[in-house]
Amino acid sequence: MFRTSARQNPLRSSALHLVLIVYTLICVAPILLIIMNSFKSRRGIFGAPLEFPRGETFSLEGYETVFTIGNFPLYFQNSLIVTIVSLLLTVVFGAMAAFALSEYRYRGREILTLYMILGLMVPIRLGTVGILNMMAAAGISNTLTALILVYTAQHLPLAIFVMSELMRQVSDDLKNAARIDGLSEYRILFRLVMPVMRPAIATIAVFTMIPIWNDLWFPLVLAPSEETRTVTLGAQFFIGQFVTNWSAVLAALSLAIIPMLVLYMLFSRQIIRGITSGAVK
Amino acid sequence: MGELAFRNITKRFDKTEVLRHIDFQIEDGEFVVIVGPSGCGKSTLLRIAAGLEDQSEGQVIIGGTDVSLAPPAKRAIAMVFQSYALYPHLTVEGNMSLGLKQARTPKDVIKERIAEATRILALEPYLKRKPGQLSGGQRQRVAIGRAISRHPQVFLFDEPLSNLDAALRDQVRMEIADLHRRLGATMLYVTHDQVEAMTLADRIVVMHDGVVQQIGTPRELYKTPANTFVAGFIGSPRMNMFQGQANSGVIRAPGLPPLPLPEGTALSGPVTVGLRANGLDLHPAPGAGADTSEVVDIDYLGNVCYLRLTLPDDATMVVEQRPDHPFSLGDHVTVTVQPEEVHLFDPEGLRI
């Protein structure tokens, strides 16, 4: 409907595009600024912050600092491990919990659903002290495991909420046909239900992955040591109380965008399908 | 060997009873159709037979074995669903073989079974396609093929034709009838469509509100419905029902001529009179009178006509006529009843 009316009216269509282009510029500008300035010398950053790097302002000193002084390959590895493992755990356990909540009838199911969803309303940072004590008692502070556990717990509620709503829409007949064919409940979940829900899972993956990758709080509290430092925490290394090495900070941040960009591109086709699946049929 | 028996099955969801004391048996090789309005519990009963739903009380016996507690895959059944329920990521061949692979059937047996199902349903051209590339009728044929390849003792059908359009529905219905003749297998088929029930079934089970109303051949149900529900449900158009009084050998109902009671019955008090559209005759009347009805609607169907009449007391009645009948809208007519076509029910709705 919308597409045809837009096509019939070029004025309206161009106005729409104008609004979208302006909005895109507003969104992209800060990122562009970071990337632009990461290729400048310190003088260039402060002398002409809005200009593209040119002859005398162009410099790779930020990137050189990042790769020589900091231990960035390790930080990247840490961030990737934490993000990907948390993501996998969230999706796998979220799907299993959602299946249990949406598929079976048993006593206390409503209470259990509410309990799971309650996590959406409680800001996890309020529990930082408790979490820190718990991790110390368990002897896993300053490990990536601590971060993975916290992030998985933090993102499970949303995953369960979204997936259990969607699983209700997967045809009962299909699951029953599989039961008659003798498939186990696990295979029904992972081989039949999850593939049907691929767009939803991609959406959940993105909403889980970006906050984990960007998080500064828990790495700072739970895993600040050199070996477990994540990229966001590592970039702080260049921000001092009195002197900040801006070109290095910006270079570190520019690099930090890349993995997320790659993962987003992997998921994006599914996400677009997920977002539009209800609207366009 | 392929009998299916329900022994006193009761099913409750929380406190509501959706099935009450269901107790009947389907003989080996018999085609039984369960029919009833939506919400009568017919699908629940089928799902209990398949093991997809637990009964609250009672037993399910398949082929002489009590399978009340067995999981679906161990019951020697196969099921065909309304929504086809094909695995979207597998080819037609994969859909038919998955259950067999799961049961660790030897490879050559699987191949043989698939070849057999393919031959029976002429699925050869589609074997390598995925369900998404097939039409509705083809998908349902594949679903039936999947059932055949399992070599079950009992086939279960859950409204398999409801998602198909009218022309395809007739075609697939005939294929199912052929299939039953060729395989001679026990089949239990659930539908809300009485045409499917009448044409396919050896015996029909009519259900209403979780209770079996009557079990019998299509002819028995039509000729001698056990109660007013079955009388109203089986047969199209619906049987005309009137409240009347029986007194000294004659039944009087408003708007109807007096009806003689059947020989040998001494009955008095309130009765329900059921008259099928084809058990009535019409005669032209000169004008409106105390015992005349008015033709208010004529449905012309080609081979027959259905006339809707308004009786003197404003009740309506549908009468079947040959297409060359002499009546037109607004005509006044008198109705006479063919005595052998009168169905009588007591105040509880049971057949007298």
Side-chain angles (χ1 to χ4, degrees):
Chain A
M1 289 296 278
F2 185 73
R3 270 180 65 176
T4 49
S5 65
R7 205 176 279 160
Q8 283 160 2
N9 186 347
L11 198 71
R12 209 180 132 181
S13 149
S14 50
L16 184 77
H17 277 92
L18 191 71
V19 171
L20 289 176
I21 288 166
V22 170
Y23 184 69
T24 309
L25 286 179
I26 293 173
C27 288
V28 169
I31 298 169
L32 205 65
L33 205 64
I34 289 176
I35 295 174
M36 252 161 50
N37 282 313
S38 71
F39 288 103
K40 288 184 197 167
S41 64
R42 185 179 172 75
R43 185 186 305 260
I45 294 173
F46 284 101
L50 294 182
E51 275 178 23
F52 281 101
R54 272 179 296 137
E56 71 273 26
T57 58
F58 179 83
S59 139
L60 287 174
E61 67 178 51
Y63 289 93
E64 278 161 24
T65 321
V66 166
F67 283 113
T68 49
I69 296 181
N71 197 354
F72 261 78
L74 177 67
Y75 303 163
F76 264 100
Q77 187 191 322
N78 288 339
S79 271
L80 276 175
I81 291 174
V82 168
T83 307
I84 288 172
V85 175
S86 308
L87 185 64
L88 284 178
L89 291 180
T90 305
V91 170
V92 169
F93 289 130
M96 286 164 74
F99 196 64
L101 292 175
S102 62
E103 182 63 17
Y104 309 119
R105 268 191 304 258
Y106 47 89
R107 192 171 303 188
R109 182 177 67 155
E110 284 78 16
I111 302 285
L112 211 56
T113 311
L114 196 66
Y115 173 71
M116 298 285 186
I117 307 302
L118 216 57
L120 278 175
M121 302 168 211
V122 182
I124 194 167
R125 283 177 185 79
L126 286 183
T128 304
V129 176
I131 291 172
L132 189 57
N133 285 335
M134 205 154 49
M135 295 303 174
I140 53 171
S141 55
N142 257 328
T143 61
L144 296 181
T145 316
L147 288 179
I148 289 168
L149 288 177
V150 170
Y151 289 140
T152 306
Q154 183 183 357
H155 292 98
L156 267 177
L158 182 69
I160 293 172
F161 182 64
V162 173
M163 285 200 265
S164 62
E165 285 306 313
L166 284 163
M167 276 178 190
R168 277 180 241 276
Q169 296 169 18
V170 176
S171 146
D172 280 335
D173 284 356
L174 189 63
K175 290 176 270 192
N176 287 335
R179 286 188 183 115
I180 289 175
D181 273 342
L183 268 62
S184 71
E185 295 295 310
Y186 287 101
R187 272 195 72 183
I188 291 175
L189 171 60
F190 290 114
R191 290 294 178 76
L192 275 182
V193 176
M194 299 267 286
V196 175
M197 300 190 358
R198 231 172 5 214
I201 292 168
T203 313
I204 292 165
V206 168
F207 281 111
T208 307
M209 149 184 110
I210 292 173
I212 296 177
W213 182 268
N214 288 340
D215 191 37
L216 177 62
W217 181 255
F218 284 110
L220 188 64
V221 176
L222 293 177
S225 75
E226 174 68 22
E227 311 82 68
T228 56
R229 206 170 280 180
T230 60
V231 169
T232 35
L233 190 56
Q236 303 302 304
F237 185 74
F238 302 110
I239 300 181
Q241 194 175 354
F242 305 108
V243 184
T244 296
N245 186 348
W246 282 110
S247 39
V249 170
L250 295 179
L253 293 180
S254 303
L255 288 173
I257 295 171
I258 295 168
M260 286 302 96
L261 211 58
V262 172
L263 283 176
Y264 181 81
M265 282 181 189
L266 288 178
F267 289 133
S268 65
R269 267 183 51 198
Q270 303 284 351
I271 293 173
I272 289 162
R273 207 181 301 161
I275 291 170
T276 54
S277 67
V280 189
K281 195 83 193 250
Chain B
M1 111 221 203
E3 326 82 49
L4 164 62
F6 295 104
R7 295 263 178 267
N8 205 14
I9 296 276
T10 293
K11 174 69 183 173
R12 280 180 290 268
F13 286 119
D14 292 326
K15 292 209 173 66
T16 41
E17 279 194 334
V18 292
L19 293 175
R20 260 174 282 173
H21 307 296
I22 307 293
D23 197 297
F24 64 89
Q25 176 156 347
I26 299 157
E27 304 303 336
D28 184 28
E30 197 179 20
F31 198 131
V32 169
V33 176
I34 305 180
V35 68
S38 52
C40 70
K42 57 190 190 298
S43 281
T44 309
L45 186 62
L46 192 77
R47 291 159 53 82
I48 285 175
L52 298 169
E53 196 91 60
D54 295 330
Q55 63 279 14
S56 307
E57 285 165 29
Q59 286 117 38
V60 180
I61 319 273
I62 293 175
T65 322
D66 185 347
V67 293
S68 308
L69 301 174
K74 306 270 184 226
R75 291 192 176 197
I77 50 121
M79 190 155 167
V80 177
F81 296 89
Q82 181 181 346
S83 63
Y84 324 130
L86 297 176
Y87 309 122
H89 60 297
L90 295 178
T91 60
V92 168
E93 199 174 9
N95 265 284
M96 291 198 284
S97 61
L98 183 66
L100 295 171
K101 281 186 191 152
Q102 204 63 27
R104 304 199 188 287
T105 315
K107 275 224 173 73
D108 48 327
V109 178
I110 296 182
K111 221 170 169 186
E112 211 173 279
R113 297 270 190 92
I114 291 181
E116 180 196 16
T118 309
R119 200 178 57 244
I120 292 175
L121 294 167
L123 290 172
E124 186 62 49
Y126 315 117
L127 274 184
K128 298 292 174 205
R129 293 205 205 162
K130 298 220 167 141
Q133 299 160 293
L134 301 176
S135 70
Q138 290 164 346
R139 284 185 214 184
Q140 198 54 292
R141 294 231 307 275
V142 174
I144 295 170
R146 181 170 66 183
I148 294 175
S149 69
R150 289 178 60 81
H151 276 205
Q153 294 202 18
V154 180
F155 284 83
L156 305 173
F157 293 90
D158 188 9
E159 307 215 14
L161 306 184
S162 299
N163 277 11
L164 302 176
D165 61 50
L168 263 177
R169 194 175 299 180
D170 282 347
Q171 188 196 329
V172 179
R173 177 162 55 93
M174 282 183 245
E175 282 182 27
I176 292 176
D178 285 344
L179 192 68
H180 179 243
R181 268 191 295 279
R182 291 174 66 169
L183 299 178
T186 314
M187 294 188 175
L188 179 59
Y189 184 109
V190 160
T191 179
H192 61 268
D193 182 319
Q194 54 152 318
V195 176
E196 286 173 33
M198 299 291 270
T199 51
L200 286 170
D202 295 326
R203 280 194 303 158
I204 296 178
V205 177
V206 182
M207 282 182 68
H208 179 52
D209 280 345
V211 177
V212 171
Q213 304 289 324
Q214 189 174 2
I215 303 178
T217 62
R219 190 176 297 269
E220 282 167 5
L221 294 190
Y222 187 81
K223 290 287 182 195
T224 55
N227 56 37
T228 48
F229 178 81
V230 178
F233 196 80
I234 300 290
S236 172
R238 261 180 90 85
M239 185 186 273
N240 301 294
M241 305 258 194
F242 302 95
Q243 302 304 321
Q245 286 286 338
N247 215 329
S248 51
V250 177
I251 303 159
R252 291 177 198 280
L256 290 180
L259 302 169
L261 269 177
E263 295 286 319
T265 42
L267 188 73
S268 63
V271 290
T272 302
V273 182
L275 301 167
R276 292 209 189 272
N278 56 359
L280 298 161
D281 297 314
L282 294 185
H283 311 282
D291 58 349
T292 62
S293 308
E294 190 186 344
V295 179
V296 293
D297 192 18
I298 300 177
D299 289 338
Y300 175 75
L301 296 183
N303 53 345
V304 291
C305 268
Y306 293 114
L307 276 63
R308 190 146 54 88
L309 310 181
T310 306
L311 301 183
D313 66 331
D314 281 346
T316 60
M317 173 190 262
V318 176
V319 180
E320 183 183 311
Q321 290 284 296
R322 293 156 52 99
D324 55 356
H325 66 82
F327 306 102
S328 51
L329 282 180
D331 279 5
H332 291 275
V333 293
T334 51
V335 180
T336 55
V337 177
Q338 299 164 15
E340 69 279 7
E341 293 290 344
V342 177
H343 302 269
L344 292 177
F345 304 95
D346 68 16
E348 268 85 64
L350 297 178
R351 181 180 192 85
I352 298 171

